[in-house]
Amino acid sequence: MTAMKRIGVLTSGGDCSGLNAAIRGVTLGAIKKGWEVLGIHNATDGLFVRPMRYQKLTMADFEFPYATLGGTMLGTNSSGNANLQERADGTYEELTNEQLNQRFKDAVEELGLSALVVIGGDGSMAIVSKFCKMAGISMIGIPKTIDNDAPGTDLAIGFATARAVVTDALDKLNTTAASHHRVLIAEVMGRGAGHLALESAVAGFADVALIPEIPYTYEGVVKRLKEAQANGKRHSVMVVAEGIKTPDGKHSYSCAGKFGGVSEYFVSRLAKDGFNARANVLGHIQRAGTPVAEDRILASAFAVKAVELLSEGKTNRVVCHQNGKIIDMDLNQVLKISNSPVDVNGEMVKVAQSLGIYIGER
Ligand code: F6P
């Protein structure tokens, strides 16, 4: 057992629902071991700015309603630019890498931190682990992303809630699509992975689900929509992930290099083929909302495991969910695994295809 006195916890990268439940789990687990917990604000920025930004976390912080809310009570940062830090007066200062190292080291010393729990993506974990190593403290990572493509884990915090949010949106779109005999297109997040689009499409009874992993053709989409009409279905719902591609590897919309807008592309093209279509970009609503039970349980289980690992003196580990079990892996090993896209030969693809959902050319 390690003599841990005070640990830090932070959230980094894009937010999602379930982060507060994870912060709660880390805090309660650590307090039970007699440790103190500091919540670092705005990812590692809280340790780089002067004065530092953090708060002592106690059980009272998790009285209703924080842990039941989406977002992160600690704030986050997904800019990836730690060198630019905001001063207390609102102006910015540019810090060199050496200055960042020094500030991190000073912060750890001043706050008396023995470890940091990083709730974020693998990119954030890799960066923070270097700072922790340099400052001589332990680090444990907890994966989160609505894309559910984090390496090493079957599930990441935020995915289940985002899937519920998109499914709810599809249910709503289905009713208005049916009333107007329209094609309603839901554009969902997912630049490189289509788990969210595919699973929501199955849950939300969509006719089309386009994902980055499987190239689609416009003709394939039209064929499916016409089939639905021929079978007496006068409306359709399509789910399209923002990072979809045609077989030649091209994105189908005009703003090169930028994500978003693919649903509008379909609206204008489908109009020329006689379809009454409308676009709905679900956007950041997908990252919000009351965390569903699955995310709260996963976040709590990950948090408990993270605290346990620290008490065993472990560092540079990532907690993962594999085959129904919470395990831990070495961070460097996790970083060698590529992000996990949808398995194009997997169960969910088969389910979608068997239901007649057009998922692209395969
Ligand atoms: O977490 C990844 C993600 O959800 C992507 O699916 C999406 O493209 C991106 O975040 C959007 O992030 P931002 O907050 O920068 O708009």
Side-chain angles (χ1 to χ4, degrees), residues 145-147 189-191 242 284 287:
T145 166
I146 66 162
D147 296 343
M189 283 185 175
R191 295 175 179 183
E242 57 192 353
H284 291 80
R287 294 222 297 237

Side-chain angles (χ1 to χ4, degrees), residues 53-104:
R53 292 187 187 154
Y54 63 93
Q55 68 188 95
K56 186 175 173 199
L57 293 170
T58 66
M59 283 185 180
D61 290 307
F62 301 99
E63 291 283 316
F64 186 80
Y66 259 141
T68 61
L69 298 178
T72 163
M73 64 190 280
L74 298 177
T76 186
N77 186 347
S78 60
S79 74
N81 185 7
N83 298 85
L84 206 59
Q85 290 296 333
E86 193 181 1
R87 295 191 185 94
D89 64 4
T91 59
Y92 284 85
E93 62 177 335
E94 192 140 7
L95 301 170
T96 64
N97 290 343
E98 289 69 37
Q99 285 173 312
L100 282 182
N101 279 341
Q102 195 54 50
R103 288 219 178 164
F104 191 93

